[in-house]
Amino acid sequence: MTDSVERHAQAELSLKELSFSVNGTRRTVRVHPMERLLDTLRQQLGLTGAKEGCGEGECGSCSVLMDGALVNSCLVPILQAKDADIVTIEGLVADEKLNDIQEAFLQYGGAQCGICTPGMILAASHLLRKKPEPTMEDIREGLSGNLCRCTGYMQIFEAVAEAARRRASGAL
Ligand code: FES
Ligand code: FES
């Protein structure tokens, strides 16, 4: 066997079949167990909403929800996602309509280049589930793991506050 054929055979042997739920649908993939969840979502499952920014757990643009917790998918080996319940930004859209947080981002100019936006919206969604009526400080803290180079943050914080107000008033 040539070296390259042998390497290919070894790589094949190291692949594992793993199943987990993504946006409510059970998915099974054949992957290297240390592949990043971000890559599996984007490359194998075609869910390109999670973005790669830093690739080092610093910027939050790759955020997804895993069993209800906000995680940086660039730091999660796919093995850890086995049997987990993953929600990506695509899972927040119902009937092809924007959800209330997305609407508020649109209204307040919270999305500019868009790289940080999916992660910001997932972080906001996670925050509002834990704290339906957050203070501005809660919002700053809840989104502190997500960096934005474009907006200066205020439009984002105001969009999240607006989504919370609308939920509280039953407007959405
Ligand atoms: S790409 Fe994952 S935290 Fe920046
Ligand atoms: S909108 Fe560009 S990084 Fe936030």
Side-chain angles (χ1 to χ4, degrees):
M1 214 186 299
T2 67
D3 280 0
S4 77
V5 171
E6 199 170 333
R7 272 200 302 276
H8 184 70
Q10 277 171 354
E12 275 292 313
L13 278 176
S14 71
L15 296 179
K16 298 265 179 275
E17 204 160 272
L18 294 172
S19 297
F20 48 94
S21 158
V22 185
N23 301 329
T25 302
R26 187 93 178 151
R27 306 295 297 262
T28 299
V29 291
R30 214 168 127 68
V31 281
H32 188 282
M34 293 309 287
E35 176 171 303
R36 304 179 309 170
L37 173 59
L38 176 63
D39 296 326
T40 308
L41 291 172
R42 290 180 59 86
Q43 293 164 16
Q44 291 220 33
L45 302 180
L47 296 167
T48 55
K51 307 289 183 231
E52 175 147 18
C54 64
E56 296 178 351
E58 301 289 339
C59 73
S61 62
C62 63
S63 300
V64 300
L65 298 173
M66 185 161 108
D67 292 332
L70 190 67
V71 299
N72 290 324
S73 62
C74 70
L75 294 185
V76 178
I78 189 66
L79 184 63
Q80 277 181 16
K82 183 173 181 286
D83 294 328
D85 187 11
I86 308 288
V87 177
T88 69
I89 190 70
E90 290 89 348
L92 297 189
V93 176
D95 299 330
E96 305 207 347
K97 285 215 290 247
L98 298 181
N99 80 359
D100 52 356
I101 302 171
Q102 290 167 317
E103 289 280 3
F105 267 63
L106 207 54
Q107 182 184 347
Y108 280 78
Q112 291 183 14
C113 81
I115 291 290
C116 73
T117 310
M120 285 286 184
I121 289 174
L122 280 161
S125 175
H126 182 247
L127 170 69
L128 295 186
R129 202 172 308 146
K130 285 190 310 181
K131 285 201 173 174
E133 296 185 42
T135 63
M136 215 27 122
E137 203 38 53
D138 292 332
I139 295 174
R140 281 178 194 278
E141 197 183 314
L143 272 55
S144 60
N146 295 73
L147 304 184
C148 176
R149 290 167 188 260
C150 306
T151 64
Y153 296 98
M154 269 327 287
Q155 293 100 313
I156 292 175
F157 298 157
E158 281 167 7
V160 177
E162 172 66 7
R165 275 194 298 276
R166 291 198 209 171
R167 283 187 188 188
S169 72
L172 286 169

